[in-house]
Amino acid sequence: MVQESQNRLKHFAALKSKYQATEYQDSSPSNLLYLILRKVDIGIELLDLEFNWLQEHELFETLEIIWLQQFRMGESKRLEDEFSHLKAKYKVAKNWESSVGSVLYPILWKLESENSLTDSEIKLLQDNNLTQIVTIAQDIKRFAELKDKYQATKYQDSHPDSRLYRILKKLDAEASLNDNEYEWLLNNELFETLENFEKQESVRRAKVIQLKNKYQASQHPDISLSGQLYQILQKLDADEKLMDSEIDWLEKQGLTETIAIAEELEKKQDFIALKAKYKASQHEDLSSDNYLYVILKKLDSETHLNEQDINFLTQYQLPEIIEIANDKYALFLKSKIVSRIVMSDLEIAWLRNNQYEDITILAQQKYFAALKIKYGLTDISLPLEPFYAIMVKLEKKERLDPKFVLQLMEKGLLFDNGKIALAYYKLEAEFYEQELGRTGHKWHIPTASGYWRKANEPKRALKLTDLDLNRVNDSNLKSAILVTRGAAFRDMDNLADAENCAKKAMEYQHDSHQPYTLMGAICYDRYEYEKGDYWFEQAIERGAETEDIDAERKRVIRSTKDENKRHEAAEYLLKKDSKRYSWAKSYLKKSQDNGK
């Protein structure tokens, strides 16, 4: 305790010396002076009571030192408060740590007092990512310039948040002020600024009248700067496209001439854009009725250019556009090929004429593959030519040249019921029917009927041959019609009607082998093989070739659906002449294999 008491005495003495209070005689630490000096020394603000006590004890030098120290403490606090206010005003991020000793403080103070910063100060802010302060500084500078320009310098506020700054920016952009903004300027006695605004308004009103005359809208009464008409006319004058709603408004106002001008301007802009896109800027005429505009619109819509278009481009020396058009059309044709859409002869010819051989070959290969699938051609060794040309003709419903028919026969493609054979026979049948209608030559009837049968359409053959034979004078023709009609009945398993036709045919032409061949086939269909042989022999006697008769026998057996009957017919023929009918052995084997 003694040591502590001594320490307090020493501390009191040191404080009295520091604050020039040594003349005060009482040195007891319990004295109020010791408390006052301790509070001052650690920065605690004194109370009025304590100041009064010092005055009562005439410690004036001590008071002066304390007042100065207390002022310094308050000044530091004021500096911190002012810095915080400036940081908030100039939108310094809260996470940006800074003290009053920071270089930022004098920069903000200068900006607040002088409304400007040097280039080095701007760079310092930018280097510290304080770009928002740079923006505000630039706005302050701009604000000052606008205040000077529009005679509003007497207005003291220089911060960009000021309403005046927003108003002056509108004036500088030659935009109209609303009633509230006009009244605000009036209330703040900024009469020179208002005078500037009134001059602008007068110019704009003259501009409205000028635009109305220019764009054929002078009959409309509206001359206001805030009206819809002025906004639309301004857009037209700036070469901006009007919205549908604006066009609708013009229509409702009856401003059809203005709409026409707007449409023409839009086409002009479109023309300029198309010329730039397709490298035709050297062509100066910008009118929308220029033929080049029509061509470029076609080109941009993927429409193929015709001969007239190409001639125009050639005449005006625009080869780049021709090249672009050709490439676009070639790509279009290629897309058709990929989508398996058949190209026309004209399209193929165009590709060849314009040296797009790769696309031409691709088209043929793709189409050939598709046609092979369609016509059931599975032979992978089948060459592109002539069979591509043959199938293309069939697709176009065009008759085949004799050379093509021979090539199909050589490949065995006309001796079965394959799709390519059926298509060929149908085309021939249709051709001879058309010839019948064109010429009236009735010998086309049995020819067309025969092709309808080969095309597996016996009903069409029956329909064609269903006619009054009394109106046919030629007995040979009557017989030929009856034979093909009877064969069609036989194709449909109507053997009774087939027999009637065969016998009538014999009556009209008893020395023709065809009715007898038909009767032989009918008997074989009925499994009456001996009767059939009789009729076949009669046919041979009348000129039928033995090979043709044997081929007919073979066709009958091949088309027999009943396996047992087929086996029976094969055995019959082998027993009759095993060498001549050796081919029948295969049907015996098939029957045996099926029976296993």
Side-chain angles (χ1 to χ4, degrees), residues 48 59 90 108 118 144 197 218 220 231 278 281 330 335 340-341 355 358 360 420 494 498 515 528 532 544 549 571 590:
D48 289 342
L59 294 170
Y90 291 99
L108 295 181
T118 64
F197 168 66
S218 54
H220 197 278
Q231 308 305 318
Y278 294 108
S281 299
S335 70
R340 296 185 178 181
I341 299 172
Q355 286 79 51
D358 55 332
T360 305
I420 199 164
N494 186 348
E528 297 171 350
I549 296 299
E571 283 186 332
K590 289 179 182 178

Side-chain angles (χ1 to χ4, degrees), residues 88-359:
K89 182 175 182 179
Y90 291 99
K91 300 177 182 177
V92 178
K94 291 182 179 178
N95 58 359
W96 205 88
E97 296 295 334
S98 59
S99 65
V100 291
S102 165
V103 69
L104 179 61
Y105 194 3
I107 288 176
L108 295 181
W109 186 278
K110 181 183 177 187
L111 186 58
E112 180 74 4
S113 60
E114 299 179 14
N115 296 328
S116 66
L117 295 177
T118 64
D119 291 343
S120 60
E121 290 164 342
I122 292 291
K123 187 176 186 308
L124 181 63
L125 291 171
Q126 290 172 334
D127 291 344
N128 286 276
N129 294 322
L130 293 167
T131 52
Q132 70 280 5
I133 301 177
V134 175
T135 301
I136 293 172
Q138 291 169 340
D139 280 336
I140 289 174
K141 182 180 178 182
R142 176 66 176 150
F143 189 11
E145 291 170 350
L146 291 175
K147 285 167 73 175
D148 185 61
K149 180 177 180 179
Y150 293 101
Q151 300 173 283
T153 52
K154 69 179 181 180
Y155 189 78
Q156 297 302 311
D157 189 358
S158 60
H159 196 271
D161 287 341
S162 167
R163 187 175 187 184
L164 177 60
Y165 184 40
R166 295 194 296 273
I167 291 172
L168 295 182
K169 284 195 293 184
K170 287 184 72 172
L171 286 179
D172 208 51
E174 297 187 355
S176 293
L177 303 183
N178 58 42
D179 292 343
N180 289 334
E181 290 165 335
Y182 186 93
E183 188 176 345
W184 188 90
L185 290 173
L186 199 62
N187 292 338
N188 285 274
E189 298 181 356
L190 295 170
F191 303 120
E192 293 88 349
T193 308
L194 280 171
E195 186 177 345
N196 274 282
F197 168 66
E198 293 292 353
K199 288 178 180 177
Q200 280 191 2
E201 287 291 278
S202 177
V203 171
R204 275 196 291 271
R205 287 191 186 94
K207 178 69 172 177
V208 174
I209 295 171
Q210 177 197 352
L211 290 176
K212 285 176 68 177
N213 290 330
K214 181 177 180 180
Y215 295 105
Q216 304 291 312
S218 54
Q219 71 270 32
H220 197 278
D222 187 8
I223 59 168
S224 68
L225 299 173
S226 59
Q228 176 81 344
L229 179 60
Y230 181 53
Q231 308 305 318
I232 291 174
L233 297 182
Q234 277 187 311
K235 287 185 71 173
L236 286 179
D237 212 47
D239 289 332
E240 293 180 24
K241 183 179 179 180
L242 298 187
M243 296 185 295
D244 291 341
S245 59
E246 292 168 328
I247 295 292
D248 291 342
W249 187 87
L250 290 173
E251 285 180 349
K252 290 176 182 177
Q253 307 304 312
L255 297 171
T256 54
E257 292 176 320
T258 308
I259 294 172
I261 294 172
E263 290 173 346
E264 180 63 27
L265 288 173
E266 185 178 337
K267 288 179 180 178
K268 178 181 176 182
Q269 291 301 112
D270 186 36
F271 194 7
I272 291 171
L274 289 172
K275 283 172 62 178
K277 182 177 179 179
Y278 294 108
K279 303 176 184 178
S281 299
Q282 70 270 32
H283 196 82
E284 296 181 357
D285 188 354
L286 288 176
S287 60
S288 61
D289 57 354
N290 186 297
Y291 192 58
L292 178 61
Y293 180 52
V294 176
I295 292 175
L296 295 182
K297 288 294 285 183
K298 287 172 69 174
L299 187 58
D300 209 49
S301 64
E302 308 294 337
T303 302
H304 178 47
L305 301 188
N306 57 37
E307 186 177 354
Q308 181 182 352
D309 302 332
I310 299 298
N311 290 340
F312 177 90
L313 295 174
T314 303
Q315 179 184 349
Y316 285 92
Q317 299 181 347
L318 296 167
E320 296 90 349
I321 301 179
I322 296 175
E323 185 177 348
I324 292 170
N326 286 347
D327 287 343
K328 285 171 76 74
Y329 187 56
L331 284 175
F332 166 72
L333 293 180
K334 188 173 182 179
S335 70
K336 286 182 67 174
I337 296 166
V338 174
S339 302
R340 296 185 178 181
I341 299 172
V342 181
M343 289 197 298
S344 67
D345 288 343
L346 288 175
E347 290 170 332
I348 293 288
W350 183 90
L351 287 170
R352 284 182 175 145
N353 293 338
N354 289 278
Q355 286 79 51
Y356 289 97
E357 287 300 323
D358 55 332
I359 301 179

Side-chain angles (χ1 to χ4, degrees), residues 19-20 46 50-70:
Y19 291 101
Q20 298 186 18
L46 296 185
E50 292 164 323
F51 277 116
N52 292 337
W53 188 89
L54 290 171
Q55 286 179 332
E56 288 172 2
H57 291 81
E58 298 181 354
L59 294 170
F60 300 117
E61 291 182 356
T62 303
L63 270 170
E64 186 176 347
I65 293 170
I66 292 172
W67 278 333
L68 181 60
Q69 183 170 323
Q70 295 265 301

Side-chain angles (χ1 to χ4, degrees), residues 419-464:
K419 293 179 181 178
I420 199 164
L422 296 177
Y424 164 69
Y425 292 136
K426 183 176 180 180
L427 273 178
E428 290 299 296
E430 289 173 340
F431 168 75
Y432 282 106
E433 275 203 25
Q434 290 168 3
E435 285 297 290
L436 173 65
R438 185 177 68 85
T439 66
H441 186 52
K442 290 187 169 52
W443 271 103
H444 290 315
I445 295 174
T447 305
S449 174
Y451 280 120
W452 280 125
R453 289 185 56 241
K454 289 180 179 180
N456 280 349
E457 297 194 42
K459 288 184 178 179
R460 296 287 296 268
L462 290 175
K463 182 179 179 182
L464 180 62

